Amino acid sequence: MNGFDLLAIGAWGVLLLKYWLTGQLAVLIHPNYFPLTIGAGLLLVGLVGWQGWVRWREPGQPQALAEGSQLLPRSWGRFLLLSTAVVGLIVTPRPFNSQIALESGELLSMTRTMPQQFRPVNRPEARSLVDWVRLLNTYPEPDAYQGQKAKVQGFVVHPPDSPSNRFFIARFVVTCCAADAYPVGLPVDLPEAKTYQADTWLEIQGQMATGQVKGQRRLILQAAKITPIQPPANPYLY
Amino acid sequence: MAALQQGLTLFFSLLVEAIPFLLLGVLFSSILLLWVEPEQLLKLLPRHPLGGAIAGAVLGCLLPVCECGNVPVARRLLTQGMPSAVAVGFLLGAPTINPIVIWSTWVAFRDQPVMVWGRVVLTLFVAVVVGWVFSVQQDLRPFLQPAVAQALPVGQPLREPVLAAVPTGNFFALAGGKTLPLETTGWNASRLLSRRGRWQMVWVNALTELRELGGVLILGTAVAAAIQVLTPREVILGLGQGPVTSVVAMLVLGTVVSICSTVDAFFALSFAGSFTAGALLAFLVFGPMVDLKGVSLLLTVFRPRAVLYLFLLAGLLTFVLTLAMNLYL
């Protein structure tokens, strides 16, 4: 364990704390695991600081007992740790955008969760985008929702094959971290749909109606009032 | 540019989620290494082949956490007379059947409970069956590396004469004329330390393991992120949705990426949308048993032939079980 090893591991501790303090953790992982990550960051920084102090005070510390993995030469481990931590400290992680939502090609599909218990939100206008999609998974009959008020927030996605008066309002859903993010969305109809750029964040108020989407009868949001909003600090839904 | 941005976000999200678990794993494993004496457990283990294989597989709940920590322990236990069924059951089962791995799998697949219990049940099954098969070979010596075989307790006549009449190698001289072989210094040497010295060893050992495994984790995560971003969506879907091709692809990936079992669930997670459930399970079950890193460690205990048997048996069993799951569930 030399000074470089301590520096490389300490840099990862600093990176975890940076993600926490700058609020970027929300772009990377589910809030349930914030305490675990923050704890790990504090522990890493503390452990490295303390071991550095011990090394400085009493040189000639014992080496580790375990041989560890023999797959990588010793210097690779510290190089990889240090270089990725430096990249992480420089680059700001960005939430996924409409392009990625289209590539995953599942905008109209189901949520992946298999709820053991389902509590629909009673006031329709209080439902978030993912609440709507979950509700549709469980009770898929579009007519059941006709005329209900809606107020949802999300970003604009323009699927290449949708008519000119329609876009999708979408959010990514995360269960663990950004690696398992998948998009959910609702079709929105309004005459000037094309004027809204992809990736613009909007709050849409309106009424639910039914209509044809790719030859199937689906729930469609008829927009009455559209307000551009700032991208939320926490871009994902859970 | 967008692909690079997406790849980096994916890469760091996987690492930020995995590193706390890796840290827990190396701390846990270092504390066990220095404070728990696995030799005591040997006396409690059943001698029956099937019972032994089961006991070996669930021993992971009490002993170091991922495959990197387990192989040295198995090596030490074998030289102290651990039956072959227990040893093989332990080698295959312990990396997965332990609290940290089960917890991290649950964190990753909270919305797919089948992944969590499927991983535990299939791993137990494969580990017990392979351990049971290996118990047919009562004398493990022909399978072991010569150095390990020589260190086995002499209970039965050896097939090959031991060349050295007196023990050879490097020894520590202790007070009172006693000696300690160098191989056993891990646990034995720590017994000679003060409390404070032993805890100091725990921290140094944990940080060293973190550097080793962190490097492997970063490489593996980079592979996952690169595959996600660079491979065309149609290729992944085509490969990942076939019941047979998806399992084969994930078995190969599990062998190649060599991520520690404490964190490999997050790696698998990044394929959750595009691969069949059976394929993800194949990765989660087979990866910790046989991967590139594990093989190099296994070769310090077993001869290449025995490692090949282990590899084939475990691989075929995993393949058949997860394929059946894809086809019939």
Side-chain angles (χ1 to χ4, degrees), chain A residues 6-238:
Chain A
L6 290 179
L7 183 69
I9 295 171
W12 261 96
V14 172
L15 178 61
L16 295 184
L17 295 181
K18 171 217 156 188
Y19 282 142
W20 168 43
L21 295 172
T22 56
Q24 292 164 2
L25 218 44
V27 178
L28 297 172
I29 60 173
H30 191 290
N32 276 1
Y33 307 113
F34 284 9
L36 208 59
T37 306
I38 297 164
L42 292 173
L43 193 61
L44 282 178
V45 169
L47 208 53
V48 164
W50 180 44
Q51 286 304 309
W53 189 74
V54 168
R55 236 180 76 87
W56 181 62
R57 284 292 301 269
E58 313 162 28
Q61 279 299 307
Q63 292 301 304
L65 298 173
E67 285 290 307
S69 118
Q70 295 166 356
L71 194 67
L72 288 179
R74 192 179 296 176
S75 57
W76 283 42
R78 74 175 76 109
F79 169 74
L80 285 169
L81 278 168
L82 191 58
S83 53
T84 47
V86 169
V87 172
L89 285 168
I90 297 170
V91 176
T92 308
R94 300 240 172 271
F96 295 151
N97 58 14
S98 66
Q99 186 59 31
I100 296 163
L102 284 176
E103 275 167 20
S104 46
E106 301 169 342
L107 261 187
L108 268 176
S109 74
M110 305 275 147
T111 53
R112 271 191 223 141
T113 32
M114 287 177 258
Q116 302 286 315
Q117 175 187 27
F118 190 75
R119 280 167 302 179
V121 180
N122 281 330
R123 287 175 51 237
E125 60 271 34
R127 288 174 198 150
S128 72
L129 206 50
V130 73
D131 289 333
W132 276 108
V133 176
R134 282 204 184 118
L135 197 58
L136 277 167
N137 284 351
T138 322
Y139 313 107
E141 175 51 56
D143 284 321
Y145 313 99
Q146 246 187 10
Q148 289 194 353
K149 278 187 193 162
K151 183 173 149 188
V152 293
Q153 297 185 334
F155 59 88
V156 174
V157 180
H158 286 290
D161 50 356
S162 68
S164 61
N165 64 338
R166 175 175 299 162
F167 61 75
F168 276 71
I169 186 92
R171 287 292 275 269
F172 277 94
V173 177
V174 159
T175 35
C176 167
C177 56
D180 71 327
Y182 60 93
V184 295
L186 282 175
V188 179
D189 276 5
L190 77 166
E192 70 278 18
K194 280 287 177 268
T195 57
Y196 291 96
Q197 295 263 314
D199 291 326
T200 320
W201 279 81
L202 299 175
E203 182 180 276
I204 300 182
Q205 283 172 284
Q207 270 199 344
M208 286 304 186
T210 52
Q212 293 284 320
V213 181
K214 285 188 187 170
Q216 286 184 315
R217 219 161 50 82
R218 295 270 189 178
L219 196 65
I220 291 178
L221 175 54
Q222 304 283 3
K225 185 178 169 209
I226 294 191
T227 329
I229 53 170
Q230 284 296 312
N234 201 341
Y236 304 121
L237 290 173
Y238 307 102

Side-chain angles (χ1 to χ4, degrees), chain A residues 1 5-6 9 12 15-16 19 25 28-30 32-33 36-37 40 43-44 47 50-51 54 58 61-72 74 77-78 80-81 84 87-88 91-94 96 100 103-104 106 112-114 175-180, chain B residues 5-6 8-17 19-21 23-24 27 33-34 68 103 106-108 110-113 185-186 190 196 200-201 203-205 207-216 218-219 233 258 266 269-270 272-273 292-293 296-297 300:
Chain A
M1 183 89 325
D5 290 336
L6 290 179
I9 295 171
W12 261 96
L15 178 61
L16 295 184
Y19 282 142
L25 218 44
L28 297 172
I29 60 173
H30 191 290
N32 276 1
Y33 307 113
L36 208 59
T37 306
L43 193 61
L44 282 178
L47 208 53
W50 180 44
Q51 286 304 309
V54 168
E58 313 162 28
Q61 279 299 307
Q63 292 301 304
L65 298 173
E67 285 290 307
S69 118
Q70 295 166 356
L71 194 67
L72 288 179
R74 192 179 296 176
R78 74 175 76 109
L80 285 169
L81 278 168
T84 47
V87 172
V91 176
T92 308
R94 300 240 172 271
F96 295 151
I100 296 163
E103 275 167 20
S104 46
E106 301 169 342
R112 271 191 223 141
T113 32
M114 287 177 258
T175 35
C176 167
C177 56
D180 71 327
Chain B
Q5 188 63 258
Q6 185 199 0
L8 280 176
T9 304
L10 242 162
F11 176 73
F12 280 106
S13 90
L14 283 169
L15 282 177
V16 165
E17 188 74 66
I19 279 181
F21 285 94
L23 183 61
L24 269 180
L27 282 176
L33 183 67
L34 284 141
C68 338
W103 182 32
W106 181 79
V107 165
R110 212 159 23 114
D111 53 343
Q112 284 166 278
T185 46
S190 69
R196 186 176 165 273
Q200 174 58 20
M201 287 285 260
W203 308 128
V204 173
N205 195 69
L207 288 175
T208 309
E209 277 190 46
L210 190 66
R211 179 200 61 207
E212 300 270 346
L213 303 177
V216 180
I218 286 170
L219 279 187
R233 183 90 197 149
S258 307
F266 302 112
L269 185 68
S270 65
L292 286 185
K293 171 169 54 86
S296 68
L297 285 174
T300 64

Side-chain angles (χ1 to χ4, degrees), chain B residues 113-257:
Chain B
V114 64
M115 286 296 165
V116 186
W117 59 258
R119 182 176 200 186
V120 172
V121 170
L122 290 191
T123 302
L124 264 182
F125 183 80
V126 174
V128 169
V129 169
V130 179
W132 203 11
V133 169
F134 265 67
S135 71
V136 175
Q137 178 79 14
Q138 279 296 328
D139 181 12
L140 263 185
R141 261 169 273 247
F143 282 173
L144 297 176
Q145 289 290 352
V148 183
Q150 264 193 23
L152 285 191
V154 189
Q156 36 199 308
L158 297 175
R159 288 194 187 164
E160 300 161 30
V162 177
L163 290 178
V166 283
T168 56
N170 296 317
F171 291 84
F172 277 114
L174 305 178
K178 290 181 189 165
T179 55
L180 263 183
L182 191 63
E183 308 87 82
T184 62
T185 46
W187 159 251
N188 285 319
S190 69
R191 252 181 290 201
L192 309 171
L193 290 171
S194 65
R195 265 186 99 75
R196 186 176 165 273
R198 226 193 256 200
W199 277 112
Q200 174 58 20
M201 287 285 260
V202 167
W203 308 128
V204 173
N205 195 69
L207 288 175
T208 309
E209 277 190 46
L210 190 66
R211 179 200 61 207
E212 300 270 346
L213 303 177
V216 180
L217 173 67
I218 286 170
L219 279 187
T221 310
V223 169
I227 292 177
Q228 289 296 305
V229 177
L230 299 179
T231 322
R233 183 90 197 149
E234 305 77 54
V235 175
I236 290 194
L237 282 182
L239 197 65
Q241 293 304 313
V244 181
T245 52
S246 64
V247 172
V248 174
M250 274 302 182
L251 283 176
V252 173
L253 208 58
T255 315
V256 174
V257 292

Side-chain angles (χ1 to χ4, degrees), chain B residues 52-75:
Chain B
I54 296 174
V58 295
L59 208 57
C61 286
L62 305 169
L63 287 174
V65 279
C66 76
E67 60 267 36
C68 338
N70 279 328
V71 177
V73 173
R75 181 184 154 111

